[in-house]
Amino acid sequence: MQQKIIILDFGSQTTQLIGRRVRELDTFCEILPYNKFPKEDPTVIGVILSGSPYSVHDPEAFKVDLSQFVGRVPVLGICYGAQYVSHTLGGRVEKADSREYGRAHLESVDTANPLFRGFDSHSQVWMSHGDTITQIPDGFEAIASTKDVRYAAYWCAAPLGSGGEAPLFAVQFHPEVFHTLQGKLLLRNFVVDVCKSRQEWSAASFVETTVAELKAQLGDDRVILGLSGGVDSSVAAVLLNKAIGDRLTCIFVDHGMLRKNEFRQVMDDYRGLGLNVIGVDASEKFFADLRGVTDPEQKRKIIGRDFVEVFNAEARKIEDARWLAQGTIYPDRIESLNITGKVIKSHHNVGGLPEEMNLKLCEPLKWLFKDEVRRVGRQMGMPEHLITRHPFPGPGLAVRILGDITPEKVSILQEADDIYIRGLREYKVKLSGEEARRVLAAGVPAEMQDGEIEVSLYDQVWQAGAILLSTVRSVGVMGDERTYEHPVALRAVTSTDAMTADWAHLPYDFMAKVSNEIINKVRGVNRVCYDISSKPPATIEWE
């Protein structure tokens, strides 16, 4: 019976990050809305309460009945979770004199307490709250403070009135973020030492268990999978291939707006993995239907519609198929909360398949985070360039060309993008501290030596690409001639989940080399710019 930690989401932006940190401890977890705690589930070994955008005093603040789990299993409240516990059990939470946000250092840490075992004195943590706890409930005791926060952490071995013996811990800082330097140790102390996790959740165990489950689920049925070239669908395909072999048929549609040589390269990769894959070159149809269209949303709708038509046409040829497989991963399925308290599902089903096809849905990666998908891919021996491939928009370069789409414009952008991406892969950098930890946590294969790791710029950033400003022309000079051609903008961001992103601070010498090479080698481009916008307020893609 698989153990699990339940993370109750009160709307924090870092709730998924808590889940990833628990999974890194080889422990399965589920993220659920604050009001959906699973009753009578013997597999639950602990509960974590997330942060929230609300104050506990707001009339619309999210509330949960703590008696469902307090005293029955160990509980860890984080930020709002810590304040909610204090407020609900008889403590006091008040508005702070000033919002406590950013780095702080722990003082008076009780390193004998199970939660802080192994902690350094003055360990750095990350605060992010407007309220603060001014009194903790009866029976609880403080176990850490900071210069400005008296109750940075508190606990009770057996909360009064709970009728149980499981401890309750609460911290007003965020152990899940990189800026809390020993946050992973704190979570390990809670998950492994306090909750007694057997740490049985791993890439190897996932592959073994999932292949067996797929064999039982699918039997002798045939399955169709739409491949995109991305890591999620590729790992899903390899898992299914291990389970059912050539009863899996993969369909890879080329809409003509992939990166340079990508269709051929990806097809070669898939065949090298032993996949039964059908490649469909439908670029003429897509270009014809996009002719003269400049509105970004209209472009996306046309490409989505055409993709479904092409995919359906191929799928219908597989008459005995019973299942549609997708590379849906856990963040796509998590029910997230907006500020109104409504549950929003971002499940990205392909959609559009006619009902008469009567296909059932198979999602072998539905419990995995992105970094776990990459670990599973490595466990199965997939090539590294497929596993570490950056996210790429479904409409491809169509949403990286401002203005209408033509084969000529796509060709220009493909050449510029190819120079940029190759350069990112070839340029090596050494990282240390928080940046090194962030990259390693994302699943990049690198070894720490003397406190440093060496990785490519490509592995350091979350996503990168070139954008063709085809609606703009700029004056330039090449040789003795005046030019009037298009600018190209380069984009690179760092992120953990694409919900927020910061522009990547790429080295100047790298930028100079790439700019020079693009201008010299790509006809139609005479200027290169770099996008230094973060998300929000900008988005990662331009359209």
Side-chain angles (χ1 to χ4, degrees), residues 390 420 438 460-464 491-495 500-504 530-531 533-535 539-540:
H390 286 177
Y420 182 35
R438 180 187 64 79
Q460 184 186 2
V461 304
W462 170 269
Q463 187 171 345
R491 182 77 158 136
V493 298
T494 58
S495 181
T500 60
D502 192 15
W503 61 278
Y530 187 56
D531 183 349
S533 308
S534 296
K535 176 188 179 182
T539 53
I540 295 177

Side-chain angles (χ1 to χ4, degrees), residues 254-256 281-291:
D254 180 9
H255 48 40
D281 181 356
S283 53
E284 287 188 12
K285 172 180 175 58
F286 283 87
F287 280 123
D289 291 348
L290 286 167
R291 187 175 294 122

Side-chain angles (χ1 to χ4, degrees), residues 242-257:
K242 288 177 72 71
I244 63 173
D246 61 7
R247 294 199 305 281
L248 169 69
T249 300
C250 303
I251 300 174
F252 182 31
V253 177
D254 180 9
H255 48 40
M257 288 152 284

